[in-house]
């Protein structure tokens, strides 16, 4: 198939070119994001391949369909940036990569917990400056701390696996209980309110829907323990960033680790070193000494990117051959 790849970087081209040797698709790479203003670039392509910050809303889908595109291939798990209902109405199929490497995201999640708890980022900076003082670097034992997981799918399950090895008490909230989490890792399922009230660490592993938009907000933060640690490696809009700032200022939130941000599409994956930062909320977040931010890199391991390439091209080949689209995204 003729495929237009949007939001690509050198590493995308490397992994997809290597993988495509076994598929033989005709790939054209674009660095720009797919938005209404760039949709013309996809003219004549049967398939567009998009990432987390491409905007595939109704207007983009209408333009794509008019230009001959019949397949939108997401090279990620989340699909909140695609208007699934409009795609169905227009006869455009949507496929995704539901699982690439839950280990990658889970390990990054726990890495953020440890970096915040043990102040590893500050300690490293101090030592490089010749400051070997321990003042301000006091952490806590993870053992016996209560960790609340919101979402226990493949990634949440792997986080539970790692934390169970630390000796943490793990509680969780999910519409569908994961029997592996309960039976193998001792996870106790509780209500969302109880999780907010009792967890020392809260880690988000749920998708972004209307029901989960700004799940962490002023009202829910007020229910939490003073000094709570919040980790988000899922979707940026799960956290109301302005409410998080107020929580940090009041010290209700003692630690915040995020790999995603609600308005990240204008920031992440680009080098903004010499640009003026116009997002005042993000700029404020970077001023707190107890906040660690990474630029949507939790997924970014050799194994994960290889898996993403393989599954994406398999999805496209299945569509081309008229086979079953096991990874199709359809309206509820």
């Amino acid at each position: 198939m003729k495929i237009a790849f949007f939001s690509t970087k050198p590493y995308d081209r490397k992994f997809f070119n290597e993988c495509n040797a076994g598929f033989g698709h005709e790939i054209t790479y674009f660095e720009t994001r797919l938005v209404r203003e760039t949709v013309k670039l996809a003219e004549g392509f049967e398939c567009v391949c998009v990432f987390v910050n491409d905007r595939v809303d109704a207007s983009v889908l209408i333009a794509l369909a008019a230009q001959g595109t019949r397949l939108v291939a997401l090279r990620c798990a989340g699909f909140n940036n695609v208007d699934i209902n409009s795609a169905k109405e227009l006869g455009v199929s949507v496929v995704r990569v539901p699982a690439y490497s839950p280990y990658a995201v889970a390990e990054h999640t726990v890495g953020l917990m440890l970096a915040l708890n043990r102040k590893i980022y500050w300690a490293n900076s101090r030592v490089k400056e010749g400051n070997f003082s321990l003042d301000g670097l006091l952490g806590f034992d993870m053992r016996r701390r209560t960790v609340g997981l919101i979402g226990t799918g493949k990634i949440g399950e792997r986080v539970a696996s790692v934390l169970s090895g630390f000796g943490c008490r793990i509680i969780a909230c999910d519409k569908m209980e994961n029997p592996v989490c309960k039976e193998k890792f001792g996870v106790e399922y509780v209500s969302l309110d109880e999780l907010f009230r009792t967890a020392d660490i809260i880690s988000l592993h749920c998708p972004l829907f209307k029901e989960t938009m700004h799940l962490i907000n002023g009202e829910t933060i007020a229910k939490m323990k003073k000094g709570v640690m919040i980790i988000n490696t899922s979707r940026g809009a799960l956290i109301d960033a302005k409410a998080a700032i107020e929580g940090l200022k009041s010290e209700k939130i003692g630690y915040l680790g995020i790999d995603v941000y609600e308005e990240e599409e204008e920031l992440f994956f680009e080098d903004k070193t010499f640009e003026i930062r116009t997002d005042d909320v993000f700029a404020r977040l970077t001023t707190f000494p107890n906040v660690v931010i990474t630029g949507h890199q939790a997924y970014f391991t050799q194994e994960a990117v290889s898996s993403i390439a393989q599954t994406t091209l398999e999805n496209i080949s299945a569509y081309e051959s008229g086979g079953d689209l096991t990874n199709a995204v359809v309206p509820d």
Side-chain angles (χ1 to χ4, degrees), residues 287-307:
T287 66
F288 290 96
N290 53 344
V291 173
V292 172
I293 304 172
T294 53
H296 210 129
Q297 71 176 77
Y299 82 99
F300 198 54
T301 64
Q302 296 176 16
E303 293 81 2
V305 180
S306 293
S307 179

Side-chain angles (χ1 to χ4, degrees), residues 14 34 37 39 49 137 147 194-195 206 220 242 252-253 264 301-302:
K14 174 183 181 295
L34 176 61
E37 293 74 19
V39 72
C49 183
L137 301 181
V147 182
E194 185 176 346
L195 186 148
C206 55
T220 56
K242 291 181 180 178
K252 186 76 169 182
I253 299 176
E264 70 177 57
T301 64
Q302 296 176 16

Side-chain angles (χ1 to χ4, degrees), residues 34-50:
L34 176 61
V35 292
R36 186 65 186 88
E37 293 74 19
T38 62
V39 72
K40 191 70 175 174
L41 293 171
E43 186 170 9
F45 288 90
E46 304 160 90
C47 170
V48 295
C49 183
V50 299

Side-chain angles (χ1 to χ4, degrees), residues 34-86:
L34 176 61
V35 292
R36 186 65 186 88
E37 293 74 19
T38 62
V39 72
K40 191 70 175 174
L41 293 171
E43 186 170 9
F45 288 90
E46 304 160 90
C47 170
V48 295
C49 183
V50 299
F51 198 43
V52 292
N53 290 328
D54 292 298
R55 196 177 304 149
V56 195
D57 57 20
S59 65
V60 169
L61 284 163
I62 290 169
L64 287 173
Q67 294 175 176
T69 297
R70 290 292 174 264
L71 177 65
V72 173
L74 289 151
R75 55 184 191 274
C76 54
F79 51 89
N80 54 280
N81 56 330
V82 181
D83 188 330
I84 303 301
N85 291 308
S86 293

Side-chain angles (χ1 to χ4, degrees), residues 9-213:
K9 299 297 179 187
Y11 45 82
D12 294 307
R13 296 189 281 274
K14 174 183 181 295
F15 281 95
F16 273 93
N17 283 339
E18 290 175 356
C19 189
N20 191 45
F23 291 91
H25 294 295
E26 183 182 338
I27 296 176
T28 300
Y29 296 104
F30 298 104
E31 290 188 16
T32 185
R33 291 191 296 124
L34 176 61
V35 292
R36 186 65 186 88
E37 293 74 19
T38 62
V39 72
K40 191 70 175 174
L41 293 171
E43 186 170 9
F45 288 90
E46 304 160 90
C47 170
V48 295
C49 183
V50 299
F51 198 43
V52 292
N53 290 328
D54 292 298
R55 196 177 304 149
V56 195
D57 57 20
S59 65
V60 169
L61 284 163
I62 290 169
L64 287 173
Q67 294 175 176
T69 297
R70 290 292 174 264
L71 177 65
V72 173
L74 289 151
R75 55 184 191 274
C76 54
F79 51 89
N80 54 280
N81 56 330
V82 181
D83 188 330
I84 303 301
N85 291 308
S86 293
K88 182 179 181 180
E89 291 171 5
L90 293 163
V92 176
S93 297
V94 181
V95 290
R96 66 178 181 129
V97 182
Y100 33 90
S101 174
Y103 300 95
V105 181
E107 290 164 9
H108 193 84
T109 298
V110 178
L112 286 173
M113 293 179 188
L114 295 175
L116 283 161
N117 174 18
R118 303 309 299 270
K119 320 284 193 305
I120 294 171
Y121 52 103
W122 280 118
N124 179 61
S125 178
R126 281 188 182 186
V127 168
K128 287 183 177 179
E129 295 174 353
N131 181 355
F132 302 96
S133 169
L134 298 183
D135 288 341
L137 301 181
L138 188 67
F140 57 82
D141 288 355
M142 295 288 287
R143 181 172 179 266
R144 294 183 178 174
R145 295 285 173 164
T146 299
V147 182
L149 305 179
I150 301 180
T152 51
K154 294 181 184 298
I155 295 171
E157 179 185 313
R158 297 320 308 163
V159 173
S161 170
V162 176
L163 294 177
S164 67
F166 284 164
C168 296
R169 177 197 175 211
I170 308 169
I171 60 175
C173 181
D174 199 321
K175 288 183 177 180
M176 295 182 65
E177 296 184 2
N178 184 331
V180 174
C181 288
K182 293 176 68 174
E183 297 163 14
K184 195 170 181 179
F185 308 125
V187 174
E188 175 189 353
Y189 282 88
V190 299
S191 69
L192 195 57
D193 273 357
E194 185 176 346
L195 186 148
F196 285 143
R197 288 197 308 269
T198 59
D200 300 299
I201 301 171
I202 296 173
S203 192
L204 305 177
H205 302 288
C206 55
L208 178 63
F209 296 124
K210 288 181 180 179
E211 297 81 4
T212 58
M213 179 80 171

